[in-house]
């Protein structure tokens, strides 16, 4: 079966998306289904949600398995029959990592090890999802793919997420050295519909929820800390480009926007777009995260490599992305 999307010829493939019921994974699944591919999703619904993929259930080209990526027998059965793998399944977010570090480390290290080992055995091209968290406390601006990693001690569990993702990248690069086509994408503050409506893991989801409920928007510290918020459509487009551009193989790419937004400005923007009477309050870091929390004051990706090699540039303006996200949150409530 051959589909023509604009001038690009897309040959339908069998694709595995691990973590395909999650926030980014499910949007990736939507995009790949729209391109006409046959999708296999493995997700144990620990943080992923069936509602994110419910609209595909029952479609002939869509196969969902509710299980862990640590189930090697299952993974081998699927990997041997697909053409391509996007590996996004992970325990994501500081709260879950700190709550149960063992589960997070096993999933994030052994899970990726399993996927890559099987991808190598059956020779399947693989995209591995990584994170800007890999840089830890680095103050480099902008953060280039080859920038240093600066981490805290092993007694602080949150750093294990950064290290687990780094091990994943090392594995991927090592397999690439053996010839396997592998690409690594590092996501920077992705946002959009299907973010956790409780606000966990994303300041945008949290502020939208607070604004819709008329509660105060809780800006930590002075609100001058910045992030580069990247709308989900851009996150997904960058991921697919990384998978398809031949020259990308064996390399790491920052997938993010270069627009740097102070958190206080974000709060004002969301308050205005929602039309909310909420006040904006400042909360000290110690109150929010505890005494020994270390904040990244500026997190800005160097986007030049993704632009040069992938032809990728984030396009959706923050105001537009926020509008679409707010609409989704309104429909939920
Ligand atoms: N933040 C905030 N108020 C909140 C939650 C988060 O001011 O209620 C700030 C947080 O200190 C950080 C930024 O928003 O500077 C982004 O936080 P998020 O948890 O979305 O992601 P991070 O980039 O820190 O992983």
């Amino acid at each position: 079966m051959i589909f023509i999307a604009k001038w690009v010829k897309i040959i339908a493939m069998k694709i595995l998306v691990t973590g395909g019921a999650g926030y980014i994974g499910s949007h990736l699944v939507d995009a790949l289904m729209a391109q006409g591919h046959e999708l296999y999703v493995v997700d144990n619904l620990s943080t992923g949600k069936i509602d994110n993929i419910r609209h595909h259930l029952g479609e002939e080209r869509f196969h969902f398995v509710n299980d862990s990526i640590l189930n090697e027998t299952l993974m081998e059965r699927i990997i041997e029959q697909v053409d391509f793998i996007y590996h996004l399944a992970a325990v994501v977010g500081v709260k879950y990592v700190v709550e149960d570090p063992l589960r997070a480390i096993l999933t994030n290290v052994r899970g990726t090890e399993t996927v890559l080992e099987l991808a190598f055995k059956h020779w399947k091209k693989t995209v591995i999802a990584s994170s800007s968290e890999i840089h830890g406390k680095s103050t480099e601006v902008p953060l280039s793919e080859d920038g240093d990693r600066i981490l805290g001690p092993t007694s602080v569990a949150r750093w294990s997420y950064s290290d687990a993702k780094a091990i994943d990248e090392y594995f991927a690069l090592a397999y690439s050295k053996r010839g396997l086509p592998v690409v690594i994408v590092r996501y920077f503050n992705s946002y959009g519909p299907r973010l956790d409506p409780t606000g966990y893991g994303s300041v945008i989801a949290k502020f939208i929820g607070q604004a819709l409920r008329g509660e105060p928007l809780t800006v930590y510290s002075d609100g001058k800390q910045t992030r580069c918020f990247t709308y989900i459509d851009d996150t997904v487009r960058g991921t697919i480009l990384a998978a398809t551009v031949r020259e990308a193989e064996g390399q790491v790419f920052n997938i993010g926007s270069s627009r740097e937004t102070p958190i206080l400005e974000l709060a004002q923007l969301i308050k205005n777009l929602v039309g909310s009477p909420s006040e904006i309050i400042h909360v000290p870091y110690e109150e929010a995260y505890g005494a020994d929390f270390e904040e990244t004051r500026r997190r800005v990706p160097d986007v030049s490599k993704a632009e040069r090699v992938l032809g990728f540039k984030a396009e959706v303006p923050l105001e537009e992305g926020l509008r679409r996200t707010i609409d989704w949150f309104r429909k939920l409530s």
Side-chain angles (χ1 to χ4, degrees):
M1 220 182 337
I2 291 175
F3 292 80
I4 313 289
K6 289 186 190 157
W7 44 267
V8 187
K9 195 198 287 179
I10 294 167
I11 298 177
M13 292 194 293
K14 290 187 177 184
I15 299 178
L16 165 63
V17 179
T18 72
Y23 156 65
I24 296 178
S26 64
H27 284 284
L28 178 64
V29 164
D30 287 348
L32 296 170
M33 285 292 285
Q35 289 184 342
H37 300 293
E38 180 167 355
L39 269 285
Y40 291 76
V41 167
V42 177
D43 196 307
N44 65 359
L45 302 180
S46 55
T47 48
K49 294 187 186 67
I50 196 70
D51 280 344
N52 290 343
I53 51 168
R54 194 181 294 285
H55 49 292
H56 295 302
L57 295 176
E59 282 189 61
E60 211 179 308
R61 286 187 289 115
F62 185 77
H63 315 275
F64 168 57
V65 185
N66 177 7
D67 204 340
S68 166
I69 52 165
L70 298 176
N71 180 342
E72 288 182 33
T73 314
L74 164 79
M75 293 304 286
E76 176 145 32
R77 197 155 43 79
I78 295 177
I79 286 175
E80 64 189 359
Q81 59 179 311
V82 298
D83 307 303
F84 197 97
I85 304 164
Y86 287 93
H87 175 48
L88 277 74
V91 174
V92 185
V94 174
K95 186 178 109 183
Y96 296 120
V97 172
V98 170
E99 257 171 29
D100 193 346
L102 184 60
R103 188 177 75 100
I105 294 166
L106 285 176
T107 308
N108 296 350
V109 177
R110 193 181 291 169
T112 305
E113 188 183 351
T114 302
V115 168
L116 282 169
E117 202 177 329
L118 293 169
F120 188 61
K121 181 172 169 187
H122 297 282
W123 211 262
K124 303 295 161 75
K125 182 168 175 177
T126 305
V127 168
I128 299 283
S130 186
S131 163
S132 55
E133 182 73 15
I134 204 121
H135 292 284
K137 299 188 265 187
S138 169
T139 53
E140 189 184 318
V141 175
L143 284 163
S144 76
E145 285 85 349
D146 291 329
D148 285 341
R149 306 179 56 231
I150 302 175
L151 302 180
T154 52
S155 54
V156 179
R158 70 159 285 173
W159 301 118
S160 67
Y161 178 72
S162 178
D163 271 335
K165 283 289 171 191
I167 293 287
D168 292 352
E169 292 199 11
Y170 280 128
F171 265 127
L173 294 170
Y175 277 111
S176 160
K177 214 171 164 205
R178 297 270 183 100
L180 186 73
V182 182
V183 186
I184 297 159
V185 287
R186 283 189 196 148
Y187 296 132
F188 281 71
N189 290 84
S190 180
Y191 75 99
R194 301 183 193 154
L195 278 175
D196 186 343
T198 65
Y200 172 68
S202 162
V203 65
I204 289 189
K206 195 164 168 195
F207 283 175
I208 293 176
Q210 290 170 333
L212 287 172
R213 291 188 299 270
E215 294 167 6
L217 273 61
T218 52
V219 170
Y220 296 158
S221 179
D222 57 6
K224 288 185 183 152
Q225 69 273 32
T226 66
R227 294 291 184 274
C228 294
F229 297 103
T230 312
Y231 190 64
I232 185 67
D233 289 5
D234 286 324
T235 308
V236 166
R237 195 166 45 82
T239 306
I240 294 177
L241 278 168
T244 41
V245 172
R246 197 58 188 273
E247 207 192 323
E249 289 172 10
Q251 299 196 56
V252 182
F253 294 93
N254 286 342
I255 301 298
S257 155
S258 53
R259 172 166 164 187
E260 197 179 355
T261 305
I263 300 304
L264 180 58
E265 190 185 313
L266 176 78
Q268 280 155 347
L269 199 54
I270 290 177
K271 177 178 148 72
N272 293 342
L273 288 170
V274 170
S276 169
S278 292
E279 53 173 337
I280 293 173
I281 59 168
H282 290 266
V283 177
Y285 280 134
E286 308 79 72
E287 220 174 277
Y289 295 120
D292 57 0
F293 185 80
E294 288 164 290
E295 162 82 310
T296 307
R297 292 288 292 177
R298 291 178 73 191
R299 183 186 290 148
V300 180
D302 181 339
V303 294
S304 56
K305 186 178 172 190
E307 218 174 312
R308 194 178 64 250
V309 180
L310 307 179
F312 170 74
K313 203 168 187 255
E315 281 169 359
V316 180
L318 183 61
E319 293 75 7
E320 176 56 28
L322 286 176
R323 250 180 236 115
R324 292 185 208 168
T325 311
I326 291 166
D327 280 352
W328 182 81
F329 271 77
R330 278 195 207 278
K331 281 182 198 134
L332 264 193
S333 50

